[in-house]
Amino acid sequence: DTEVTQTPKHLVMGMTNKKSLKCEQHMGHRAMYWYKQKAKKPPELMFVYSYEKLSINESVPSRFSPECPNSSLLNLHLHALQPEDSALYLCASSQDGSGYEQYFGPGTRLTVT
Amino acid sequence: GENVEQHPSTLSVQEGDSAVIKCTYSDSASNYFPWYKQELGKGPQLIIDIRSNVGEKKDQRIAVTLNKTAKHFSLHITETQPEDSAVYFCAASILGATDSWGKLQFGAGTQVVVTP
């Protein structure tokens, strides 16, 4: 089973709202990732958690706040977003932080109005 | 940093024909090269990958070849079917590098259209 689940599938939020994206995997993976993907572009790495510790922050604005409550869950807290933050947000996981065999979830389509 | 170039950007093939997508990378330290297939409205799906100690890998109708000297790798799809229509991304990474934990550098993507 190589399933990564993400909720919600779609999210529309205003620029003053606070919302959270959730990601879950039950493959025993110890690394989890957040990516942002704009239309017709490849995924862009935002954050990497390895063994529940933040390993990489790709200079992401502070209006995006990641959280890894345990090895199976990954959250992305959103606050005061801009319309240009509208995108598909993808979660991925891999066995460890080396990056080998990353499995992606279906994504959350975020629209900021 | 690593830079991955992918060609072509679009590829139209007749059902049953073969499709080839090529990628080049810049960092000779890269040692892991996965390929992802992304269908409309879905997340990327890992379809095949290759490590730098291997020159070729096959899985049914798909194969990947790697030329470390020239720093390029290719995806080959044989006997294409309409369900192969999707965007394909190549990527490169350095496994085990503690300063770039798990970072995949993606190519720009290839839109493959298989016509019946």
Side-chain angles (χ1 to χ4, degrees):
Chain A
D1 183 13
T2 55
E3 187 176 25
V4 175
T5 59
Q6 290 186 244
T7 56
K9 287 187 176 181
H10 302 275
L11 179 62
V12 179
M13 60 185 291
M15 290 188 284
T16 58
N17 291 160
K18 285 185 180 181
K19 296 287 184 182
S20 296
L21 309 184
K22 296 185 183 299
C23 174
E24 190 167 4
Q25 57 87 15
H26 293 289
M27 295 177 278
H29 288 175
R30 301 309 303 271
M32 297 185 77
Y33 312 76
W34 280 116
Y35 287 84
K36 173 183 178 179
Q37 186 178 28
K38 301 285 266 185
K40 299 187 184 300
K41 296 291 187 181
E44 296 176 32
L45 183 65
M46 300 175 71
F47 304 102
V48 180
Y49 273 85
S50 179
Y51 294 87
E52 298 157 52
K53 292 186 178 179
L54 185 63
S55 300
I56 292 181
N57 176 342
E58 290 286 283
S59 303
V60 179
S62 60
R63 57 186 184 269
F64 295 91
S65 176
E67 178 195 18
C68 189
N70 59 56
S71 59
S72 300
L73 293 173
L74 187 66
N75 298 321
L76 186 62
H77 303 297
L78 314 172
H79 174 55
L81 295 191
Q82 304 297 309
E84 58 264 30
D85 296 323
S86 298
L88 181 68
Y89 287 84
L90 294 161
C91 175
S93 72
S94 65
Q95 185 69 39
D96 57 32
S98 71
Y100 180 64
E101 290 191 346
Q102 291 186 32
Y103 294 96
F104 284 81
T108 293
R109 175 72 61 189
L110 174 67
T111 303
V112 181
T113 62
Chain B
E2 175 66 278
N3 181 51
V4 177
E5 294 190 358
Q6 182 172 347
H7 299 282
S9 57
T10 58
L11 181 59
S12 293
V13 295
Q14 286 288 119
E15 183 178 359
D17 288 350
S18 296
V20 179
I21 304 170
K22 298 182 179 181
C23 290
T24 59
Y25 60 99
S26 61
D27 191 342
S28 57
S30 291
N31 55 14
Y32 175 61
F33 307 93
W35 285 88
Y36 286 87
K37 173 185 181 183
Q38 188 171 23
E39 297 175 87
L40 198 60
K42 297 185 178 181
Q45 175 193 0
L46 178 65
I47 56 172
I48 196 167
D49 57 11
I50 192 167
R51 292 195 175 198
S52 60
N53 58 348
V54 176
E56 183 176 3
K57 184 176 179 180
K58 285 185 178 181
D59 183 3
Q60 299 183 350
R61 295 187 297 108
I62 60 174
V64 57
T65 58
L66 172 66
N67 184 324
K68 283 191 298 181
T69 303
K71 289 191 282 189
H72 67 70
F73 56 112
S74 300
L75 178 72
H76 304 254
I77 307 174
T78 59
E79 301 173 15
T80 54
Q81 301 169 4
E83 51 264 39
D84 295 328
S85 296
V87 178
Y88 291 80
F89 292 102
C90 64
S93 179
I94 305 173
L95 294 182
T98 55
D99 60 344
S100 60
W101 280 97
K103 183 172 182 177
L104 293 176
Q105 186 64 47
F106 285 91
T110 297
Q111 174 74 61
V112 174
V113 178
V114 181
T115 52

